[in-house]
Amino acid sequence: MEIIRVTGKNKLEGEVQLQGSKNSALPILAAAVSVNGISVIHNCPSLTDVDAAIKILEHIGCHVSRQNSTVVIDSTDVDRCDIPQHLMHEMRSSIVFLGPLLSRFGSACVSTPGGCEIGLRPIDLHLSSMRKMGAVITEDSGVLNCSCNGRLQGSKIVLSFPSVGATENIMIAAATAKGTTVLINAAREPEIRDLAVYLNNCGAKIKGAGEGTVVIEGVKQLHSVEHSVIPDRIIASTFMAAAAVTGGKVLIKGVVPSHITPVISTFEEAGCRVDTGASRLYICAPKKLNRVKTIRTMPYPGFPTDSQAIVMSMLCLAKGTSVIVENIFENRYRHVHELRKLGAKIDVEGKIAIVEGVDTFKAAHVCAPDLRGGAALVVAGLAADGLTEIENIKLIDRGCQDIEKLLRSLGADIVRVNAV
Ligand code: UD1
């Protein structure tokens, strides 16, 4: 079993290059199924979730090759429309293969997906949207059998919540559906826009991606393309927090600052100096961090739920009491129990967490509860007195590429070791 060992209190200094966005890469890899040809995807991060997506692509008959951060998918010969349960269970975003399979084959057989245990995470919006586009879906012991009469049919779809995954599924499915789809209350995350750029470069006709209403005029076929994935805004916030809790100064290269506007404001409110330029962000932390006013996680452009745990680690060390309201997932405070082992003072009531700042973290043995919760523990370990050990780091590897190597390059005393 691999664990991360971090001895805290080293000031982080230096520069770091941001990885490609996991949440952009995954739907783009799924969308490659709809393409009759070759997709060359650059800046694709090396993560276990990406490995899981590639396993699905290979299972259905794509030829996939990978060199450094470039993944090449030849989907000319795809010949299966089923995804076995063990592959679906590796990550939640496997459900985003439903739209592409339906649009390519007119049928799909998938099971309900897996993923981090951060809440119920139903897929009702994905299923009702596919039904609206003409799919007939039956469920039998967790297996979903889906089919449509020939091609999916463009439709007017109103989402009751701007689900990121459902928006992606609909956009991919509608790209080659018959007629026009109008999607209302779509998610507006930068990853949605990135997916639309990829699909449009394949010949799709998508307008308004990144806005509340997206109009997708179906085309008969999508063709080969080359695309570069946008940088990972959540990893950017992870490095910002790492700099902040160690009183450090870090330059993050490759970032799109406008993708993390509310996160930048939060760090500024906590007393950090943040300078941004085209594709770069410099953060300089104060000696002592300040509390911040209430943080409410919201769909984009609000404060991202994926940065909540990471920023909470930082607020644990601020002067005064901060309040966080988690509005997106109902079980996204599992890191609190672990942060308390490090001496954090946090009360949780329902979706509200009250974080009372303490002087320092004390090293402890902790366990990553989920991907971002695990990253939050790494951040906390960087600021703790003594040696912190973090286990269950396979969850961190789902979304963070080379986290310990990059932090070490900034001066952190951190290693990955095999523990017996
Ligand atoms: C994506 C991101 C994830 C991020 C989340 C919210 C990827 C691979 N993952 O996840 O990192 O935390 O957006 O920004 O991009 N919901 C339903 N029914 C549905 C779908 C969603 O009730 O059919 C609910 C979910 O339970 C959750 C909320 O909507 O409470 C947001 O989910 P959604 O936006 O779909 O998140 P994901 O696409 O799973």
Side-chain angles (χ1 to χ4, degrees):
M1 178 190 63
E2 285 190 327
I3 64 167
I4 284 179
R5 284 202 175 124
V6 51
T7 304
K9 297 289 182 196
N10 283 10
K11 218 179 230 198
L12 296 197
E13 279 185 12
E15 52 183 64
V16 69
Q17 178 71 38
L18 210 49
Q19 69 182 57
S21 161
K22 167 180 86 78
N23 289 354
S24 239
L26 294 176
I28 288 172
L29 292 174
V33 174
S34 294
V35 174
N36 221 321
I38 297 173
S39 297
V40 180
I41 313 297
H42 300 293
N43 205 27
C44 192
S46 183
L47 303 167
T48 51
D49 269 12
V50 168
D51 299 340
I54 290 176
K55 275 192 235 162
I56 293 177
L57 289 168
E58 288 177 332
H59 170 82
I60 60 175
C62 294
H63 300 286
V64 185
S65 62
R66 204 167 168 181
Q67 201 170 24
N68 302 321
S69 64
T70 297
V71 177
V72 180
I73 307 134
D74 183 349
S75 38
T76 320
D77 296 330
V78 288
D79 56 359
R80 306 182 65 132
C81 61
D82 69 298
I83 304 178
Q85 209 168 33
H86 70 277
L87 292 181
M88 284 298 289
H89 280 185
E90 282 195 31
M91 60 174 177
R92 172 171 168 88
S93 62
S94 54
I95 194 63
V96 179
F97 279 88
L98 179 59
L101 285 175
L102 265 174
S103 68
R104 181 84 187 242
F105 293 100
S107 60
C109 178
V110 300
S111 58
T112 44
C116 282
E117 299 294 326
I118 56 176
L120 278 174
R121 308 189 86 173
I123 53 166
D124 54 318
L125 300 173
H126 297 253
L127 301 186
S128 59
S129 311
M130 293 302 123
R131 286 190 173 110
K132 199 89 207 281
M133 296 178 75
V136 174
I137 304 176
T138 55
E139 191 188 339
D140 185 12
S141 315
V143 175
L144 300 163
N145 283 300
C146 318
S147 62
C148 62
N149 199 1
R151 270 168 85 192
L152 286 166
Q153 182 68 53
S155 179
K156 178 180 170 187
I157 300 173
V158 183
L159 289 177
S160 56
F161 181 87
S163 155
V164 174
T167 300
E168 292 162 349
N169 238 333
I170 295 162
M171 275 170 36
I172 302 167
T176 54
K178 229 186 289 166
T180 300
T181 297
V182 180
L183 172 57
I184 294 164
N185 200 23
R188 292 180 284 165
E189 271 68 2
E191 294 78 19
I192 300 287
R193 193 188 284 264
D194 199 28
L195 174 63
V197 169
Y198 164 79
L199 287 167
N200 283 342
N201 286 338
C202 293
K205 293 187 175 167
I206 302 174
K207 285 196 186 128
E211 293 161 28
T213 299
V214 184
V215 180
I216 308 128
E217 199 185 311
V219 298
K220 278 220 167 104
Q221 229 181 30
L222 300 176
H223 55 72
S224 299
V225 76
E226 200 160 335
H227 180 81
S228 192
V229 170
I230 58 170
D232 197 309
R233 62 197 168 100
I234 307 303
I235 299 294
S237 65
T238 309
F239 284 119
M240 290 174 79
V245 297
T246 59
K249 296 176 193 160
V250 171
L251 175 68
I252 304 171
K253 296 198 309 197
V255 64
V256 182
S258 62
H259 288 174
I260 48 169
T261 306
V263 174
I264 293 174
S265 305
T266 301
F267 280 87
E268 286 177 332
E269 200 184 333
C272 298
R273 200 183 100 211
V274 183
D275 298 328
T276 59
S279 304
R280 49 211 283 131
L281 181 153
Y282 174 74
I283 178 163
C284 176
K287 277 213 172 80
K288 181 75 190 165
L289 294 157
N290 296 323
R291 66 172 282 265
V292 301
K293 284 194 296 259
T294 308
I295 294 174
R296 292 183 174 81
T297 66
M298 294 282 187
Y300 190 85
F303 190 96
T305 173
D306 286 350
S307 298
Q308 176 258 109
I310 297 152
V311 166
M312 181 187 279
S313 270
M314 167 179 86
L315 295 177
C316 286
L317 298 174
K319 188 168 170 228
T321 301
S322 309
V323 176
I324 298 178
V325 186
E326 171 55 57
N327 288 310
I328 307 295
F329 290 106
E330 66 278 8
N331 190 21
R332 211 166 194 183
Y333 283 136
R334 293 170 74 232
H335 46 281
V336 166
H337 179 68
E338 302 301 310
L339 286 172
R340 283 187 190 133
K341 291 183 190 166
L342 292 154
K345 284 195 182 165
I346 307 164
D347 280 329
V348 174
E349 251 184 61
K351 57 184 191 170
I352 298 174
I354 297 165
V355 185
E356 196 185 319
V358 295
D359 280 341
T360 188
F361 283 127
K362 289 184 254 20
H365 188 99
V366 290
C367 181
D370 52 56
L371 159 50
R372 305 302 169 190
L377 295 174
V378 172
V379 167
L382 292 169
D385 256 331
L387 173 71
T388 293
E389 291 187 323
I390 303 157
E391 62 174 72
N392 209 19
I393 59 171
K394 61 178 188 298
L395 293 180
I396 301 176
D397 293 338
R398 294 185 50 193
C400 306
Q401 181 180 330
D402 295 330
I403 189 163
E404 75 283 359
K405 284 187 199 142
L406 293 171
L407 289 170
R408 210 161 45 233
S409 76
L410 295 172
D413 183 350
I414 181 169
V415 284
R416 173 185 295 253
V417 293
N418 258 315
V420 273

